[in-house]
Amino acid sequence: MKYNINPITDYLEELTGCKTRTLVHTERDDEMLPLAISCCYSFCDVEFMETIITIAIPTEQENISPMQLAKHQAKMMNVFHRPVVFALEFVASYNISRLTQAKVNFIVPGKLIFIPSMLIVLRELKNRAKVMPERMPPVAQMLVLYHLEKGTIDGFSTSELAELTGLAYPTVNVALRWLASNSIISLVGGKQKHVQIALGKVDFWNKSLPLMSSPIERILFTDTKPAGCLIAGETAMGYYTMLAEPTTPIIAIDKATAKENAAFMNKQYGEIKVEVWKYSPALLSENGYADRLSLYLCMKDNEDERIQLECDTLIEEMKW
């Protein structure tokens, strides 16, 4: 591969939405590598996702095996004290599993990326023109509702929101990019983007609502309440409004909790109805009940006229 870092940094930016910055590689570090390794690569340092990584470009790509790359990577990371990513022109299909099993960081610009040391997983772009979903993604919806019900996200950076929610940086970054691309928020600033929200909360809700959907992914049943569950559905409606609570209590959990308690749940039988949400209901609740706006989104399309009336009550009694 010709020593050209641009296709590599362009691909990283396209895939993640994170800006990169090319740095000057310190050649004296190369002198600490065995000559048999240092002479086989060109190096370039890049700042990416608030981390400095070294891109290693093999000069002879056809004559290097996955196991050699794994050994060279260990030597380089020991010398450079940072992640090392091999930039490859191509990877034979039979070598992909060998590289991933050996946890070799590699990138094939425009096609593949696998950087386990930075928690970036394998991707293959069959179509370079990525189309964002029309409906608001779950994490984006959760951030909107957090701003409306818990505390502002205005002025926060991606990394700050990742820390606040406990979600991975790339996950929050994709959600913010979706919101910005649909003019729900703006992202301002230089390298470190910050959220900017120009609308008041009522207008922000009204603009977001047509793009939002129910957070419920699936329904299960159980006889035992999982730890950390919240009261949801018509049971929660009975708490917030005058609607009578159902005889079968309804709770909400996230997907991780559903997985942990899978042995105690099924699709048909149980004294408790379980809503498995696409995002964590606990992030938006303070009192053990599903938050008002998520509950509204769960119930607004219900055909029961009584529930429709109480959905209006949920919004009318919101303290924006």
Side-chain angles (χ1 to χ4, degrees):
M1 179 183 288
K2 183 180 178 181
Y3 185 76
N4 184 356
I5 198 66
N6 291 335
I8 301 165
T9 55
D10 289 348
Y11 180 54
L12 286 171
E13 291 181 5
E14 177 189 11
L15 187 64
T16 65
C18 301
K19 289 294 183 181
T20 61
R21 185 164 65 97
T22 304
L23 307 173
V24 176
H25 180 73
T26 305
E27 293 186 358
R28 67 171 177 270
D29 288 344
D30 302 351
E31 297 172 359
M32 300 174 64
L33 290 170
L35 184 61
I37 294 179
S38 61
C39 68
C40 295
Y41 298 91
S42 298
F43 298 103
C44 183
D45 292 343
V46 173
E47 186 176 17
F48 170 60
M49 291 177 63
E50 303 179 358
T51 301
I52 296 176
I53 63 176
T54 293
I55 305 295
I57 305 176
T59 53
E60 297 290 338
Q61 303 223 2
E62 294 183 2
N63 299 322
I64 190 164
S65 70
M67 292 311 299
Q68 285 178 303
L69 287 174
K71 292 177 181 178
H72 292 179
Q73 176 178 270
K75 291 277 189 183
M76 292 174 189
M77 292 179 70
N78 187 51
V79 169
F80 299 150
H81 303 293
R82 54 179 169 267
V84 173
V85 180
F86 295 103
L88 308 175
E89 262 185 298
F90 62 91
V91 176
S93 58
Y94 57 84
N95 274 334
I96 292 176
S97 62
R98 296 171 65 191
L99 287 168
T100 56
Q101 288 171 7
K103 294 183 172 58
V104 174
N105 299 323
F106 70 94
I107 180 173
V108 181
K111 295 181 180 179
L112 301 169
I113 183 168
F114 184 72
I115 313 179
S117 60
M118 294 183 69
L119 300 182
I120 298 176
V121 298
L122 184 66
R123 288 286 301 273
E124 181 171 1
L125 294 185
K126 295 181 179 178
N127 183 354
R128 294 288 296 278
K130 294 189 292 183
V131 178
M132 287 195 169
E134 293 183 5
R135 304 296 292 180
M136 190 178 293
V139 173
Q141 182 167 307
M142 185 273 293
L143 291 173
V144 167
L145 298 182
Y146 188 95
H147 175 75
L148 292 169
E149 297 179 295
K150 295 278 286 183
T152 184
I153 65 170
D154 190 23
F156 279 66
S157 67
T158 305
S159 57
E160 289 170 337
L161 288 175
E163 183 177 356
L164 180 70
T165 60
L167 297 171
Y169 180 101
T171 302
V172 176
N173 181 59
V174 170
L176 293 178
R177 285 173 53 220
W178 189 95
L179 292 171
S181 70
N182 285 272
S183 303
I184 305 296
I185 65 169
S186 298
L187 294 174
V188 299
K191 173 179 169 291
Q192 183 70 282
K193 301 288 187 184
H194 289 76
V195 175
Q196 185 178 76
I197 299 176
L199 299 174
K201 287 190 174 182
V202 175
D203 291 335
F204 189 63
W205 164 252
N206 290 332
K207 186 171 185 177
S208 303
L209 180 57
L211 301 171
M212 302 171 91
S213 57
S214 170
I216 301 172
E217 182 177 84
R218 65 186 188 276
I219 299 294
L220 298 172
F221 291 88
T222 185
D223 291 326
T224 306
K225 286 185 178 180
C229 68
L230 297 179
I231 305 300
E234 289 94 326
T235 310
M237 288 285 280
Y239 171 78
Y240 288 117
T241 72
M242 299 299 292
L243 187 72
E245 294 187 14
T247 54
T248 300
I250 304 172
I251 61 173
I253 59 175
D254 59 24
K255 290 185 283 188
T257 303
K259 185 175 181 179
E260 292 169 2
N261 293 271
F264 307 104
M265 298 185 184
N266 63 80
K267 297 180 180 180
Q268 292 181 308
Y269 305 107
E271 296 180 356
I272 302 168
K273 183 178 178 180
V274 182
E275 296 176 352
V276 181
W277 283 21
K278 301 169 188 173
Y279 52 81
S280 172
L283 287 171
L284 302 173
S285 175
E286 292 181 346
N287 58 5
Y289 288 81
D291 65 285
R292 282 179 176 271
L293 297 183
S294 291
L295 186 58
Y296 173 85
L297 293 168
C298 291
M299 309 295 290
K300 68 182 180 66
D301 295 325
N302 194 297
E303 295 180 357
D304 190 320
E305 291 184 1
R306 297 173 304 117
I307 292 177
Q308 286 295 318
L309 288 172
E310 299 303 351
C311 280
D312 293 338
T313 302
L314 281 176
I315 302 302
E316 290 168 1
E317 295 182 355
M318 266 294 299
K319 296 179 180 179
W320 301 104

